[in-house]
Amino acid sequence: MTPDELTLTKIYHIGEAYLSLAYYNFSSSISNVVECLKKCFSGSYLKKLKKAIASKDAKAAFFAAKELDNYTRYLGLITFERSLENLIKDLAPLEYNVSAENDGYGPIAWTSNTQALFEKVEANYIVIEELVKQLDKKTAKTNFTELEAEIEYEERKKQEKHERWCKQDRTLTKIFSIDGYYAQACENIRSVDRIVEYLKTYFSGSYFEKLKNAIASKDAKAAFFAAKELDNYAYGLCLKKLDNSLDELADDLAPLGHTKNAENDGYGPIAWTPNTQALFEKVEANYIVIEELVKQLE
């Protein structure tokens, strides 16, 4: 990177600030951003505001702060912008009310917080001003291709991620609209990425295949534990319809559930019943609907 590109990077690491936002606000030109930075942080706007504050002229301070705010709001310097907005709101808390007083901004008055809020603006301004002074006087003609390429690349990645998640979010909505609870799943798993990961893992077919094979061979014990295993995952993901159908199948195979009897790992007698096949088919129908949607997740 050129020295000017490094200086810009430093400016946009002060608090919350976004060079990409400024870049797109100024017609995708960093040179235009730099010219605005030089204009806003030449010292003249702060000087006007400082003079008004020194004389405790609330109206002059308000309009000087508004003027500076109008120039800086497109530069993506969020922390600095916020300090200006706090000063403006302090001087005119009813800003843009129906009163015509003070050009429609409502009453403008000095408060006990004004001085401290100005000092915060000043501190934020000076840090940026010192860095802006380091920008070459001929910067408007400087080539910013590396920094611009970096911004374009990052924005493309963000857009691709956004598009991917929009698609995933629509699919997740469909999955959890099948009698599921998305908010509860998020609370249980605490990460949308992990919800997607778990869905892909548990609906890859392998867990269901284990249950299907046990049912096909009428192995009640194997079917029960395969159903319990899949049920644990469906329960954590709050897929209630699938979870309930798996519970029904498990209860059918082991109606005594967790008894004191040590038989079959403490679940009591496990046996095939006349309802087992139909209950499995209900599970299968619920599973397949979700499985088909999970395939659409990227």
Side-chain angles (χ1 to χ4, degrees):
M1 281 192 180
T2 65
D4 281 338
E5 285 179 318
L6 289 170
T7 300
L8 272 174
T9 303
K10 287 178 188 175
I11 289 169
Y12 281 89
H13 274 85
I14 298 167
E16 188 182 353
Y18 303 97
L19 180 55
S20 59
L21 179 59
Y23 174 69
Y24 288 111
N25 282 341
F26 286 90
S27 307
S28 299
S29 167
I30 289 184
S31 294
N32 291 346
V33 173
V34 169
E35 285 307 296
C36 189
L37 281 167
K38 286 179 173 180
K39 185 176 182 180
C40 294
F41 294 91
S42 63
S44 58
Y45 292 106
L46 182 69
K47 191 175 179 181
K48 191 189 292 187
L49 175 57
K50 196 171 184 177
K51 185 179 175 183
I53 292 289
S55 60
K56 292 199 172 183
D57 185 337
K59 188 173 178 182
F62 173 78
F63 285 106
K66 285 291 289 182
E67 185 178 30
L68 185 54
D69 180 57
N70 288 338
Y71 283 117
T72 57
R73 67 169 56 247
Y74 300 107
L75 282 168
L77 301 166
I78 307 301
T79 298
F80 177 68
E81 174 77 16
R82 202 169 285 138
S83 66
L84 265 173
E85 285 177 355
N86 289 338
L87 176 60
I88 289 164
K89 287 173 185 173
D90 170 74
L91 289 162
L94 299 178
E95 190 182 358
Y96 291 110
N97 70 358
V98 290
S99 167
E101 184 183 355
N102 292 315
D103 300 320
Y105 290 97
I108 296 172
W110 191 270
T111 80
S112 57
N113 297 320
T114 303
Q115 184 66 40
L117 289 169
F118 163 72
E119 286 168 8
K120 196 167 182 183
V121 168
E122 185 178 35
N124 290 336
Y125 183 99
I126 289 169
V127 174
I128 299 168
E129 182 185 31
E130 288 305 308
L131 284 166
V132 169
K133 284 176 185 175
Q134 295 174 27
L135 293 168
D136 194 300
K137 289 179 181 176
K138 297 176 182 175
T139 297
K141 295 177 183 177
T142 301
N143 193 331
F144 287 102
T145 49
E146 188 175 342
L147 201 49
E148 288 181 347
E150 191 176 291
I151 291 169
E152 293 283 0
Y153 173 72
E154 288 300 321
E155 286 304 305
R156 270 199 310 277
K157 280 207 309 186
K158 280 184 200 170
Q159 184 61 27
E160 286 166 7
K161 186 177 181 182
H162 174 71
E163 287 170 1
R164 187 166 63 251
W165 272 106
C166 279
K167 185 179 175 184
Q168 299 231 100
D169 193 51
R170 284 194 296 273
T171 305
L172 286 170
T173 301
K174 286 179 188 175
I175 290 169
F176 283 93
S177 68
I178 306 166
D179 202 18
Y181 299 91
Y182 189 31
Q184 186 62 49
C186 288
E187 191 174 320
N188 288 351
I189 299 170
R190 301 191 179 280
S191 163
V192 177
D193 285 330
R194 286 176 67 200
I195 287 174
V196 171
E197 182 189 329
Y198 287 0
L199 283 167
K200 285 179 176 179
T201 302
Y202 308 139
F203 291 89
S204 62
S206 57
Y207 291 97
F208 183 70
E209 199 64 30
K210 194 189 294 185
L211 173 59
K212 195 172 183 177
N213 290 339
I215 292 290
S217 60
K218 291 197 172 186
D219 184 336
K221 187 173 178 182
F224 174 78
F225 285 106
K228 287 295 287 181
E229 184 179 32
L230 194 51
D231 178 56
N232 288 337
Y233 301 131
Y235 178 79
L237 282 163
C238 297
L239 298 166
K240 295 299 180 185
K241 197 169 183 180
L242 177 62
D243 178 33
N244 290 340
S245 63
L246 281 161
D247 282 341
E248 287 174 3
L249 176 60
D251 290 343
D252 168 75
L253 290 161
L256 298 180
H258 284 282
T259 65
K260 291 178 183 178
N261 186 334
E263 186 184 354
N264 292 315
D265 299 321
Y267 289 96
I270 296 172
W272 191 270
T273 82
N275 298 321
T276 303
Q277 184 65 40
L279 289 170
F280 164 72
E281 286 168 8
K282 190 175 176 182
V283 168
E284 184 175 36
N286 291 333
Y287 181 94
I288 287 169
V289 173
I290 299 170
E291 183 183 34
E292 286 306 306
L293 285 166
V294 169
K295 286 175 185 174
Q296 296 173 25
L297 293 169
E298 290 183 7

